Amino acid sequence: MAASRYRRFLRLCEEWPVENSKWQRDLGSVLRQRVAQAFREGENTPISDPEACDQMYESLVRIHTNYYKNKYPRLKDTTFTGVTLEDCRVILATDILKQMEDMKKGTWKRLRERFSAKKPEEDSK
């Protein structure tokens, strides 16, 4: 029975797309890593809780097939802020997040230098 569960998870991993703009933060790549960890011995891996395994598989299938998106369609494709799905994808791309992190480091570094540097007048007192 573990062999069929393993094959189902492998099939799901093959179908799940990998989003290259979210390198190492994509749900597809995380899913692949978790399946590899859970089924270290492949088809021969003993499963301690088969019901939980089946429930997890069914939940992932619902996410993959957009079950709830189709069941509860949205009236608009924007959020309350007016940001569209494509805007969110661009903002959450790894390259953009790295640029933002670099900007934060620059600001933090400037502030740290400004407040940690002693003025020559203070040293003489």
Side-chain angles (χ1 to χ4, degrees), residues 101-123:
E101 190 64 32
D102 290 341
M103 288 171 49
K104 287 181 187 176
K105 286 181 183 176
T107 304
W108 174 249
K109 187 174 182 180
R110 277 186 274 135
L111 287 172
R112 191 177 75 207
E113 289 173 355
R114 180 182 295 170
F115 291 109
S116 67
K118 293 182 180 179
K119 295 179 183 177
E121 302 156 357
E122 292 177 358
D123 289 338

Side-chain angles (χ1 to χ4, degrees), residues 17-77:
V18 175
E19 199 168 330
N20 293 329
S21 66
K22 296 180 185 175
W23 189 74
Q24 295 294 329
R25 298 180 304 113
D26 179 46
L27 187 57
S29 61
V30 171
L31 175 65
R32 286 168 178 74
Q33 291 171 357
R34 300 288 294 273
V35 168
Q37 288 173 356
F39 292 98
R40 287 190 184 114
E41 299 173 23
E43 294 181 351
N44 299 325
T45 303
I47 297 175
S48 60
D49 192 0
E51 291 176 8
C53 182
D54 291 341
Q55 185 179 12
M56 188 175 299
Y57 174 77
E58 293 301 324
S59 297
L60 289 169
V61 166
R62 284 192 297 271
I63 292 170
H64 176 62
T65 59
N66 291 323
Y67 174 80
Y68 291 106
K69 180 183 176 185
N70 297 331
K71 185 175 180 180
Y72 305 106
R74 297 175 55 113
L75 300 176
K76 297 181 180 180
D77 288 335

